[in-house]
Amino acid sequence: KKMVETHGGIANELRAAVEAYQDGHTADAQQMLCELAEQGVEVAQSNCAWLYYKGHALPRTVNATMRMLAVRRMLERAGQQGGADAHLRLGDMDWYGHGRTPNITAAAQHYFTASARRSQQASFALGYMHQFGKGVPRNLTLARRYYIKSGNRDHFTRYPSHFALALLAAQTVVEDLMILSVQLLGGGVEAQSIFLIPADEAQFAAMSCGIIGALVVGMMLLLGTCSLMVSCPEAPRDRPAPE
């Protein structure tokens, strides 16, 4: 009973903070959320970090670096309590270098934690990182697995994950063709690895999709031409004039 009463009171305070923010009373919402955050409420900690990020809950004299450090501290506290969204935001901060030098390897660790706690955005990010070897070893099989995981439920990452899977399939086919070409030309493993290093990963994936699309269109045109040639009736032959 005591736990129910405590959690019910926290829910009411969170609801009051949200309503205050929606009504434009940012200072009141900030005070209520940060008080709950100090009590260890994970949802309040994440929302308080968001207010810090927007600069609502800090003095104007605080510079951007100090503001991002305050955001990180609050998100780390939320992440220690199992907040998947907190680890997702920490991964984004490490990826883009908010408050510190960009660290893609550290971002991957946060994304792994968030993905294990059912964050589909983190799963999509891990799919991209495995596809192009960003912060983790390049592995197209794991990339496909994470893309599928990010789109297996009714979530806004569903359609982007389907597009990413199609792009990944095209990239896989083109890379297999490249490896086969290098092998036929007598190149070794080192030659294959050098040949497959793209200057721009996204450009390479888009090029792969374009090549596959061109091949599909070419096959469709060829089949259409063949079907027209088969279905066209023969022209009637001129009969000889009667003598």
Side-chain angles (χ1 to χ4, degrees):
K1 180 180 178 181
K2 183 177 180 181
M3 184 179 295
V4 173
E5 290 176 353
T6 302
H7 283 241
I10 291 174
N12 291 333
E13 292 183 43
L14 286 172
R15 190 179 300 110
V18 172
E19 291 175 354
Y21 182 81
Q22 291 174 345
D23 293 338
H25 304 297
T26 307
D28 295 337
Q30 172 261 327
Q31 183 178 358
M32 287 185 282
L33 285 173
C34 291
E35 286 179 358
L36 291 173
E38 292 300 326
Q39 297 174 22
V41 180
E42 185 268 325
V43 177
Q45 289 169 342
S46 297
N47 283 278
C48 189
W50 184 82
L51 288 174
Y52 285 163
Y53 183 81
K54 292 295 183 180
H56 294 313
L58 292 172
R60 294 184 179 181
T61 55
V62 176
N63 58 27
T65 303
M66 295 299 297
R67 181 161 54 89
M68 289 303 166
L69 289 176
V71 173
R72 178 177 294 275
R73 184 184 63 180
M74 194 60 70
L75 287 175
E76 287 174 349
R77 293 177 60 184
Q80 290 173 358
Q81 300 189 71
D85 187 68
H87 280 284
L88 174 66
R89 303 306 169 198
L90 286 169
D92 292 342
M93 293 182 71
D94 283 328
W95 179 279
Y96 294 106
H98 291 165
R100 62 171 64 175
T101 305
N103 189 336
I104 300 179
T105 304
Q109 295 302 319
H110 285 296
Y111 289 145
F112 276 123
T113 304
S115 177
R117 296 172 183 175
R118 300 184 178 181
S119 171
Q120 291 175 262
Q121 289 174 264
S123 297
F124 187 89
L126 286 173
Y128 174 84
M129 297 175 81
H130 280 93
Q131 182 177 1
F132 299 115
K134 298 287 189 179
V136 295
R138 191 170 181 272
N139 190 319
L140 299 186
T141 302
L142 284 178
R144 184 175 183 275
R145 186 178 303 172
Y146 278 112
Y147 281 142
I148 292 174
K149 185 178 180 180
S150 69
N152 62 357
R153 279 186 279 175
D154 190 13
H155 195 262
F156 70 87
T157 57
R158 180 179 180 181
Y159 296 109
S161 66
H162 290 169
F163 178 76
L165 284 168
L167 202 62
L168 179 63
Q171 180 180 345
T172 304
V173 171
V174 171
E175 288 191 5
D176 289 343
L177 292 174
M178 287 182 175
I179 292 175
L180 180 61
S181 300
V182 173
Q183 290 176 346
L184 291 176
L185 294 174
V189 177
E190 184 178 355
Q192 295 176 23
S193 61
I194 295 175
F195 189 70
L196 290 176
I197 294 177
D200 186 342
E201 293 86 352
Q203 182 180 0
F204 181 77
M207 180 190 70
S208 302
C209 192
I211 292 174
I212 297 299
L215 290 174
V216 171
V217 171
M219 290 296 297
M220 292 178 64
L221 289 175
L222 180 62
L223 291 174
T225 303
C226 293
S227 63
L228 286 175
M229 293 176 62
V230 171
S231 61
C232 286
E234 295 183 1
R237 298 179 179 179
D238 295 334
R239 296 182 180 180
E243 297 181 357

